[in-house]
Amino acid sequence: MSMAAAAAAIMAVLLAALMARASSAAAAGRVWADEEKGAHNGTARRQVTYDGRSLMLDGARRMLFSGDIHYPRSTPEMWPRLIESAREGGLDVIQTYVFWNVHEPIQGQYNFEGRYDLVKFIREIHAQGLYVSLRVGPFVEAEWKYGGLPFWLRGVPNITFRCNNEPYKVQVYTQVKTDVMYEVRVVHMQKFVAKIVNMMKDENLYYPQGGPIIISQIENEYKLVQAAFHSRGPPYVRWAAAMAVNLQTGIPWMMCKQDDAPDPIINTCNGLICGETFHGPNSPNKPALWTENWTSRYPLYGHDPRFRSPADIAFAVALFIARKKGSFVSYYMYHGGTNFGRFASSYVTTSYYDGAPLDEYGLIWQSTWSHLRELHAAVKQSEEPLLSGAYSNYSFGEQQEGHVFKTESNCVAFLVNFDKHKTSNIQFGEASFQLAPKSISILSSCRRVVFETAKINAQHGLRTAQVVQYLNNVDSWKVFKEPIPLAINNSTHIGNRLFEHLSTTKDETDYLWYLTRYDYRSNGDTQLVLNVESQAHVLHAYINNDYIGSVHGSHDGPRNIVLKTPIMLRKGQNSISLLSVMVGSPDSGAYMERRIFGVRKVSIQQGHQKSHSLNNELWKHQVNPGWLIWRNE
């Protein structure tokens, strides 16, 4: 047997063992806490379990409302007030991704300080009496640079991200000990996930230890790319699930948008209308969880803001609870915050989900915040029948339906009108109810309306800005403009080809110059045209230091941007300078490590003659931070 075959066999055995362990946990239908801590301090054992109705804390089913707040998109000074506003808005849980590329920007060098102090963030949540849903990933997407993956992963030989690929999962190197060579396997993905899990354990932050973390997520929306990896997709899902369970956190794990999530991993829904699109848990022993209920859409350059009405959000939540027996809903985002630095993904603006219940600055966004708070209170007062009652449903017409949850002592009903234009009158029980267009009425005790999704009681908020200082004095500004490079000097980025943008800049900047010279021999007054094709987001072009044109891409446009512009050349040597600009980095898709950016083709056409390609000319590539403009204090 070859060494490669032997290694594959060993990995297959290890995976089978991990899955057997995971299946054992699934058979129990719960994730038990480690008893050691309770035995030492004499307290009762804390545990997180689940069944087909909900997550259970210490054996009690819970209806949980959650909201996403990402710690790197705000500041530590903001965290207490953000969490307090979320609690006052009726949330039980704060959900956040863990961002690998901010914590390990250089391989083996970690940063958990300032805005990246994950432990401090979680401790603040705990101090205010809320729970935590920790989405470890480590791929997160999240309109975040490279989907949260550190850029140095691109440099791992033969790597393919997010599939059954050994370089992504495992790095092999040799170690010599007592004259014997050992093969040491360091798992990139598993190493980081284990680091986060062990950090949480060391800080006693898991619920069984007395902490607030009640559920974790491994991977993220993998179903969207799984088919692209063919036979390497499903084994990766099984490996990731088994790896997570084997870390023994004492709490459940989930995978969102992953219908085939292996037991005991809970498959969850992401989207706008999970009450209509979610196929449900893939086992009757798993609860219906909604990990991302989008509260608006993230802003893009060149697009108008797209807000979602509070009535529409509330309708979607109530329908998920009624139709799918949903017991966990997380708002994405509850506070979007700010994409500081260069961490936004392609074409995403600095402001992130400004129309969430808490706006970019942490201010309450009315009437969304208040309307959802009323919804949470109405649902919570019927928590017992929702989580333990017998379920039945009714049809009152083509677009009207009812959902009832009933115990011996309590009852709650959801009356639904899907018609977007007409009010509907229906008879339910001994009473008649008028349902507004596209609305759900929640009936406490199946008689009294306690909440209507279409009825907004809170006044619409108004956000104003006040000038605190004028900065328009021309004497207070200095402009530093870097010269456009002309000469092709000695450089490590020089060759007879066009270099790929990201591989050349190493993610140090969004700017890369492409520089060459063109020897022009005049042939009459024939028109000259410069043609440039690029897969960057913006391109600026210069001839002999003179600006000749630009082209901008867009989020929804083609990947190629093309600049085609008339030019004038002098006889002899001419400099051509092309500035390639990235407006953020990609955050999703299969084979991200193979994505190509930057200038791909350059040619000059003279009249009706065949274009002269410059692709294989001598090109210098200069990494450049662009222009700097700042105020002189």
Side-chain angles (χ1 to χ4, degrees):
M1 181 182 292
S2 67
M3 181 177 293
I10 292 172
M11 285 301 294
V13 171
L14 289 174
L15 181 59
L18 289 174
M19 290 308 299
R21 188 171 195 165
S23 297
S24 176
R30 59 183 61 216
V31 184
W32 289 104
D34 185 358
E35 295 188 56
E36 183 176 353
K37 182 176 184 293
H40 285 173
N41 61 24
T43 61
R45 182 175 64 185
R46 290 162 56 95
Q47 60 185 17
V48 184
T49 62
Y50 64 79
D51 64 7
R53 295 298 283 267
S54 75
L55 295 176
M56 294 188 287
L57 303 183
D58 304 328
R61 290 181 177 140
R62 295 292 303 272
M63 176 68 68
L64 298 169
F65 290 104
S66 170
D68 280 75
I69 299 175
H70 296 161
Y71 53 99
R73 283 175 159 140
S74 54
T75 66
E77 293 77 15
M78 296 172 67
W79 295 344
R81 181 55 189 159
L82 290 174
I83 296 164
E84 180 183 13
S85 296
R87 176 173 53 80
E88 292 173 349
L91 296 194
D92 310 282
V93 182
I94 300 298
Q95 181 167 269
T96 185
Y97 284 122
V98 178
F99 297 84
W100 187 358
N101 54 8
V102 306
H103 293 307
E104 193 179 4
I106 300 173
Q107 186 174 5
Q109 297 183 23
Y110 296 96
N111 181 6
F112 290 92
E113 299 180 354
R115 287 188 293 110
Y116 308 148
D117 193 339
L118 176 60
V119 169
K120 181 176 181 178
F121 180 67
I122 293 176
R123 288 199 180 282
E124 180 61 38
I125 296 170
H126 193 204
Q128 297 205 34
L130 300 182
Y131 303 116
V132 172
S133 172
L134 194 64
R135 309 176 80 183
V136 180
F139 172 81
V140 299
E141 190 169 338
E143 294 73 56
W144 190 262
K145 179 171 68 175
Y146 239 54
L149 300 179
F151 188 81
W152 54 260
L153 274 179
R154 279 177 62 113
V156 176
N158 302 316
I159 195 167
T160 303
F161 297 164
R162 303 177 67 206
C163 73
N164 201 38
N165 168 261
E166 292 303 293
Y168 179 62
K169 299 191 303 182
V170 182
Q171 176 187 8
V172 180
Y173 64 95
T174 57
Q175 176 176 307
V176 178
K177 185 176 182 181
T178 61
D179 298 326
V180 178
M181 184 174 291
Y182 293 92
E183 183 178 83
V184 181
R185 307 180 76 84
V186 178
V187 183
H188 286 303
M189 175 176 167
Q190 181 174 348
K191 181 181 178 182
F192 180 74
V193 173
K195 181 175 183 64
I196 296 300
V197 167
N198 290 332
M199 178 183 293
M200 300 301 102
K201 287 182 179 179
D202 291 343
E203 298 290 339
N204 295 320
L205 294 177
Y206 285 109
Y207 185 83
Q209 300 174 295
I213 305 174
I214 59 173
I215 192 167
S216 290
Q217 179 180 303
I218 193 70
E219 248 296 337
N220 189 51
E221 296 187 341
Y222 189 69
K223 178 184 176 181
L224 300 181
V225 299
Q226 182 170 326
F229 294 112
H230 305 290
S231 62
R232 294 191 295 172
Y236 170 70
V237 173
R238 296 191 294 270
W239 172 84
M243 180 267 291
V245 173
N246 193 51
L247 291 172
Q248 300 181 340
T249 60
I251 62 171
W253 286 86
M254 59 184 174
M255 284 182 168
C256 66
K257 280 193 176 178
Q258 196 63 41
D259 296 339
D260 60 350
D263 290 343
I265 309 294
I266 304 169
N267 62 299
T268 72
C269 185
N270 284 5
L272 281 168
I273 50 174
C274 283
E276 301 174 57
T277 59
F278 187 41
H279 296 305
N282 60 20
S283 165
N285 297 322
K286 297 177 184 179
L289 312 182
W290 189 354
T291 36
E292 289 188 18
N293 178 12
W294 303 331
T295 53
S296 64
R297 296 306 298 266
Y298 54 87
L300 298 168
Y301 285 110
H303 287 226
D304 292 330
R306 292 179 289 175
F307 298 110
R308 190 179 183 190
S309 73
D312 189 58
I313 301 173
F315 180 93
V317 173
L319 188 65
F320 180 71
I321 294 171
R323 269 192 174 182
K324 305 298 180 180
K325 302 183 181 68
S327 57
F328 178 100
V329 176
S330 192
Y331 300 102
Y332 191 97
M333 299 288 296
Y334 199 77
H335 164 71
T338 304
N339 290 312
F340 295 103
R342 297 173 47 251
F343 280 102
S345 64
S346 301
Y347 299 108
V348 173
T349 65
T350 301
S351 175
Y352 189 65
Y353 275 89
D354 189 37
L358 302 178
D359 71 7
E360 180 182 5
Y361 313 102
L363 303 174
I364 289 174
W365 186 265
Q366 296 288 20
S367 55
T368 302
W369 182 87
S370 291
H371 193 54
L372 295 179
R373 179 180 61 173
E374 293 175 16
L375 168 65
H376 304 153
V379 170
K380 284 296 186 71
Q381 65 178 278
S382 296
E383 187 172 22
E384 187 256 344
L386 283 170
L387 300 182
S388 301
Y391 168 77
S392 57
N393 60 77
Y394 305 87
S395 175
F396 302 107
E398 291 185 0
Q399 299 190 75
Q400 293 77 36
E401 61 189 38
H403 303 268
V404 176
F405 299 81
K406 188 174 183 179
T407 63
E408 291 184 0
S409 59
N410 206 343
C411 178
V412 62
F414 292 73
L415 304 182
V416 185
N417 181 17
F418 281 102
D419 194 317
K420 298 179 180 179
H421 307 291
K422 296 180 181 179
T423 298
S424 176
N425 293 290
I426 67 169
Q427 186 73 29
F428 177 71
E430 299 178 354
S432 178
F433 296 90
Q434 188 177 75
L435 306 182
K438 196 183 179 184
S439 71
I440 299 177
S441 293
I442 301 178
L443 279 59
S444 177
S445 302
C446 289
R447 294 190 303 270
R448 181 172 58 88
V449 175
V450 293
F451 184 80
E452 298 176 59
T453 60
K455 183 179 180 181
I456 310 297
N457 295 316
Q459 290 186 347
H460 184 75
L462 178 65
R463 186 172 67 191
T464 60
Q466 180 180 354
V467 174
V468 294
Q469 185 178 1
Y470 287 96
L471 303 176
N472 55 357
N473 186 344
V474 293
D475 296 330
S476 65
W477 289 88
K478 290 184 178 180
V479 178
F480 296 83
K481 186 176 181 179
E482 297 190 2
I484 298 169
L486 297 173
I488 302 178
N489 302 317
N490 294 329
S491 172
T492 57
H493 306 299
I494 192 167
N496 293 98
R497 61 186 176 90
L498 297 161
F499 285 21
E500 195 276 326
H501 185 124
L502 291 181
S503 299
T504 307
T505 62
K506 304 297 183 186
D507 197 36
E508 294 175 359
T509 174
D510 290 326
Y511 301 91
L512 177 64
W513 284 103
Y514 291 76
L515 313 165
T516 193
R517 289 192 177 276
Y518 179 68
D519 189 9
Y520 174 57
R521 298 181 181 181
S522 178
N523 186 12
D525 296 327
T526 307
Q527 176 69 62
L528 299 173
V529 176
L530 176 69
N531 295 286
V532 184
E533 293 185 24
S534 175
Q535 290 188 5
H537 301 143
V538 180
L539 178 77
H540 303 295
Y542 303 82
I543 300 290
N544 298 323
N545 211 27
D546 292 329
Y547 170 77
I548 61 169
S550 298
V551 62
H552 292 247
S554 64
H555 183 271
D556 301 322
R559 288 190 59 189
N560 267 21
I561 56 175
V562 179
L563 176 67
K564 187 173 184 178
T565 184
I567 59 173
M568 295 182 63
L569 298 177
R570 61 197 179 201
K571 188 176 181 179
Q573 290 287 314
N574 293 263
S575 67
I576 299 177
S577 306
L578 306 174
L579 181 60
S580 174
V581 185
M582 298 292 292
V583 185
S585 300
D587 71 333
S588 59
Y591 304 105
M592 285 178 59
E593 72 289 338
R594 303 181 191 177
R595 294 280 297 276
I596 294 174
F597 295 91
V599 177
R600 310 313 304 156
K601 295 180 181 179
V602 182
S603 65
I604 292 179
Q605 186 168 9
Q606 187 170 352
H608 296 290
Q609 299 179 21
K610 183 180 180 180
S611 294
H612 176 66
S613 173
L614 304 182
N615 293 352
N616 297 319
E617 298 294 328
L618 185 67
W619 286 92
K620 175 187 176 184
H621 306 77
Q622 181 170 316
V623 177
N624 194 301
W627 294 270
L628 304 176
I629 303 176
W630 67 79
R631 184 170 180 263
N632 181 28
E633 296 293 346

